[in-house]
Amino acid sequence: MQNGRLLSIIILGDYMEKVIVIGGGAAGLMAAGKAAERGKEVHIYEKNSILGKKIYITGKGRCNITNAGDIDEFMDNIPGNPYFLYSAFYNLDSEKTVEFFNSIGVPTKVERGKRVFPVSDKAADVVNALEKYVRKNKVKVHTDSEVQSLWIENGEIKGVKLRNGKTEEAKSVIVATGGLSYPGTGSTGDGYKMAKAAGHTVTKLYPSLVPLKCAQSFCERLMGLSLKNAAVQIRDKKGKVLYKDFGEMLFTHYGVSGPMILSASRFLIGRLEEGLKLYIDLKPALDEKALDNRVLRDFEKYANKDFKNALDDLLPQKMIPVMIELSGIDELKKVHDITREERKNLVRMMKNIELDITGTTGYKEAVVTSGGICIDEINPSTMESKLVKGLFFAGEVIDVDAYTGGFNLQIAFSTGFSAGINA
């Protein structure tokens, strides 16, 4: 009798200490590692065959781990519920994140815009270090293992039910399944379904930090052309400026992409059906008068040449045929025959290339998902559900999102950290 009672206490004790993490991405790996450091028995269930699949493609394969900005800069770069994250950032800010990665064998460097990258420029090094970190702390990793649903009784988490029919008990469950962006990496909205089934509200979801589609066919002709120092404005039908920025952009076969455009897409959520226009200034350092003087000098230099051969000093080679077309000037017209009005029109075109925005490329190319599990139903200090005891959330599945620059991965690490130390 006594032995049976002792056995039941041991079994109950093991159950009480067990933590299940659903998802082996940035948030899940951090959560699992921190929970294991506290002596918990931790299990990661990842439906992919490898851990960190999405991390591999972040920062164009270089992994923009975080940003070296202060808390105010973080708040300014998080349009999606920034103040919910104060406690999580207090637990793990960007400085502590850098220290953490240095401690697990990933030295870092700071680049333009205070972006923090591994010195190796390899996202694989980040994934490998995180995997070694969790395994060192005796986290049990189950790849090719999909969680079908949460097991909840009387408002309390009891464990999870796997796709293969098995049921696993746990005192705490951390949902870190990601959003809907880059579905090829396994982010297919599983966490939203689980949260809804648990009684949580999921706000409207949108692809964010995503390339824009444009109506103009010349975008395809410019495909691959990168503009390093352009300025853009996005205006509504009434001409009101909704967004403006200066920096790098890229033409694609369907429209435009690049850092500026990805950030712009976050401003346009819910407004893409309004007939918005994108204006590109190829020479933002010069006003129209200064640019006209510059063009005049070039025209004097190439006075006896055809117009199509007089723009090499002004524009990238790939842009010249398009600008000739937009200007309306015959490409074979001699430069000395170009009228003042034609020259002025060329200058206006270079300062105001107009594109009609028709939509986005959707979740398949979106960096993050905007929207998610309602923050009012999550304790910001612990990431625990206010509706279900023992249920925690971390990362993109929560209704928080940021611009490019390392801010989104920091959100994943910080919320994962908070869930891990409280589960």
Side-chain angles (χ1 to χ4, degrees):
M1 183 71 175
Q2 283 183 332
N3 288 341
R5 184 181 175 189
L6 180 61
L7 180 61
S8 68
I9 291 172
I10 291 171
I11 292 171
L12 182 61
D14 286 345
Y15 159 66
M16 293 288 283
E17 294 296 316
K18 188 174 177 181
V19 176
I20 287 176
V21 179
I22 309 174
L29 288 166
M30 180 64 80
K34 289 301 164 184
E37 281 183 350
R38 294 167 51 231
K40 309 300 180 185
E41 180 192 334
V42 183
H43 295 253
I44 293 177
Y45 288 92
E46 168 56 58
K47 68 179 182 181
N48 289 315
S49 59
I50 59 171
L51 296 174
K53 194 169 182 180
K54 190 173 178 182
I55 300 175
Y56 279 105
I57 62 172
T58 60
K60 297 178 181 177
R62 296 174 60 217
C63 191
N64 187 182
I65 295 169
T66 184
N67 191 284
D70 60 24
I71 189 67
D72 291 333
E73 289 173 278
F74 265 81
M75 294 297 111
D76 289 343
N77 279 280
I78 301 173
N81 299 313
Y83 299 107
F84 171 79
L85 294 164
Y86 260 124
S87 292
F89 287 154
Y90 178 80
N91 288 334
L92 183 76
D93 61 14
S94 61
E95 188 176 340
K96 291 175 185 173
T97 299
V98 168
E99 290 173 1
F100 166 77
F101 277 102
N102 290 342
S103 74
I104 63 170
V106 183
T108 58
K109 60 182 177 179
V110 181
E111 296 187 0
R112 180 180 55 83
K114 298 183 181 179
R115 290 166 163 82
V116 179
F117 291 91
V119 169
S120 68
D121 285 328
K122 293 179 181 176
D125 289 351
V126 175
V127 178
N128 292 338
L130 284 169
E131 184 167 357
K132 286 178 184 175
Y133 164 66
V134 296
R135 291 188 186 278
K136 180 183 175 182
N137 283 289
K138 297 181 172 55
V139 173
K140 296 173 177 62
V141 177
H142 309 269
T143 52
D144 294 310
S145 298
E146 186 174 352
V147 173
Q148 184 174 38
S149 61
L150 301 173
W151 172 17
I152 300 168
E153 291 181 8
N154 302 318
E156 187 173 343
I157 201 78
K158 294 295 181 182
V160 300
K161 297 177 182 178
L162 304 179
R163 181 70 63 187
N164 63 12
K166 290 184 179 179
T167 299
E168 297 292 339
E169 286 186 310
K171 181 65 175 176
S172 297
V173 173
I174 301 171
V175 176
T177 51
L180 288 167
S181 58
Y182 293 130
T185 65
S187 297
T188 52
D190 301 346
Y192 303 133
K193 296 171 191 171
M194 293 175 197
K196 283 182 178 178
H200 277 275
T201 305
V202 176
T203 63
K204 194 164 184 180
L205 304 170
Y206 298 92
S208 186
L209 305 186
V210 61
L212 298 176
K213 291 182 177 179
C214 298
Q216 282 69 18
S217 60
F218 65 72
C219 288
E220 187 170 3
R221 289 158 60 193
L222 295 173
M223 181 174 63
L225 175 62
S226 177
L227 303 176
K228 301 293 185 185
N229 297 297
V232 298
Q233 284 191 4
I234 294 174
R235 302 178 200 160
D236 63 15
K237 282 183 177 179
K238 295 180 180 178
K240 181 183 177 183
V241 176
L242 304 178
Y243 177 85
K244 62 181 181 178
D245 200 2
F246 168 85
E248 186 178 347
M249 62 167 289
L250 174 74
F251 286 98
T252 68
H253 68 281
Y254 48 76
V256 287
S257 186
M260 266 199 304
I261 302 301
L262 298 186
S263 291
S265 72
R266 180 58 177 80
F267 279 81
L268 308 183
I269 283 174
R271 304 196 63 167
L272 286 167
E273 308 302 320
E274 297 180 13
L276 306 179
K277 290 183 180 289
L278 171 70
Y279 296 88
I280 304 170
D281 183 351
L282 297 176
K283 302 290 181 181
L286 304 174
D287 61 20
E288 281 197 19
K289 184 178 179 181
L291 181 56
D292 187 42
N293 288 334
R294 166 71 196 279
V295 172
L296 194 56
R297 288 197 301 273
D298 279 18
F299 278 11
E300 289 170 354
K301 180 180 176 181
Y302 300 111
N304 296 316
K305 291 198 171 188
D306 293 341
F307 176 49
K308 67 177 182 179
N309 297 320
L311 299 173
D312 289 355
D313 297 348
L314 272 172
L315 298 167
Q317 196 63 39
K318 211 168 190 177
M319 177 68 74
I320 291 174
V322 172
M323 285 308 303
I324 290 173
E325 186 178 295
L326 293 175
S327 74
I329 303 171
D330 185 344
E331 65 174 13
L332 298 177
K333 191 171 188 176
K334 295 300 181 185
V335 172
H336 58 70
D337 289 331
I338 293 174
T339 67
R340 179 177 182 274
E341 188 51 45
E342 286 175 325
R343 190 187 76 243
K344 292 278 190 183
N345 188 50
L346 173 64
V347 169
R348 282 192 291 272
M349 285 294 102
M350 284 195 285
K351 296 288 289 181
N352 275 291
I353 297 175
E354 184 179 312
L355 296 170
D356 297 298
I357 300 171
T358 59
T360 74
T361 56
Y363 289 111
K364 65 180 180 180
E365 293 188 44
V367 176
V368 294
T369 305
S370 179
I373 300 165
C374 180
I375 58 167
D376 294 336
E377 299 166 0
I378 302 171
N379 184 329
S381 298
T382 63
M383 297 298 138
E384 185 174 15
S385 164
K386 293 179 180 178
L387 310 182
V388 179
K389 183 176 174 56
L391 176 61
F392 295 77
F393 301 104
E396 193 179 342
V397 73
I398 304 170
D399 183 13
V400 286
D401 64 285
Y403 300 127
T404 57
F407 303 104
N408 285 293
L409 265 181
Q410 183 62 58
I411 291 172
F413 293 135
S414 294
T415 54
F417 183 98
S418 291
I421 63 172
N422 287 287

